[in-house]
Amino acid sequence: MLKPRRTWLFVAGADPAAHVAAAGSGADVLIQELEDFTPPALRPRARSMAPSLHDRWRKAGRIVAVRINPFETEGREDLEALMAGRPQAVLMSKVATPAQVEKLDAAVGKLERKIGIPANSTELVPNVETAAGLMRTFDIARA
């Protein structure tokens, strides 16, 4: 049975006080956000926090998710580090093409095998945020 997903809380990736507050927020899904909420200079710190942070959030009974940057920027580094925390969902910002989803799916699958979790157990949530993405929404969803 799936846990309810009524509320999704985006949390700055490298802010320990926000991480603690989020765990007690009552939100169903907690998202360690490495895009807009985390300045580039703090992203390495946020990446290193993922395993212990995700474990704490899971123990608080929350669904753990991460939001990475597009692969065209720092997304690959984000994904590699954040998958170590075994998130249940990966959100990718600014998805505008089905090819981006296909690349994300392949990369997540490779990392699932690497860290020993069942294939296809990590949900993918492409975030459509541009007019170009909106025009391709159906194709992005199919991907």
Side-chain angles (χ1 to χ4, degrees):
M1 185 166 150
L2 289 175
K3 290 183 179 183
R5 292 156 190 235
R6 300 164 294 217
T7 52
W8 296 57
L9 180 61
F10 290 77
V11 183
D15 185 340
H19 298 163
V20 171
S25 70
D28 299 315
V29 181
L30 300 180
I31 304 159
Q32 184 186 17
E33 154 65 82
L34 264 72
E35 199 226 1
D36 292 337
F37 286 25
T38 305
L42 293 179
R43 289 180 185 153
R45 180 175 174 212
R47 292 176 189 130
S48 71
M49 299 170 113
S52 61
L53 170 61
H54 298 175
D55 187 51
R56 282 194 312 262
W57 282 355
R58 265 192 297 283
K59 287 178 181 173
R62 305 296 178 248
I63 296 168
V64 177
V66 297
R67 182 172 179 201
I68 65 170
N69 289 282
F71 282 168
E72 295 79 13
T73 60
E74 297 181 58
R76 290 191 187 278
E77 294 88 349
D78 295 344
L79 184 65
E80 179 82 29
L82 297 178
M83 283 298 289
R86 300 174 181 246
Q88 292 147 289
V90 174
L91 292 73
M92 179 184 273
S93 62
K94 297 180 180 68
V95 173
T97 68
Q100 288 173 290
V101 178
E102 292 162 359
K103 289 176 184 176
L104 177 62
D105 185 40
V108 167
K110 181 179 176 182
L111 290 167
E112 285 174 333
R113 287 187 298 279
K114 180 179 177 180
I115 63 176
I117 61 175
N120 301 312
S121 63
T122 307
E123 295 178 33
L124 304 182
V125 183
N127 298 161
V128 174
E129 304 175 50
T130 65
L134 186 59
M135 296 301 294
R136 297 182 190 103
T137 300
F138 183 73
D139 293 330
I140 289 168
R142 279 197 344 224

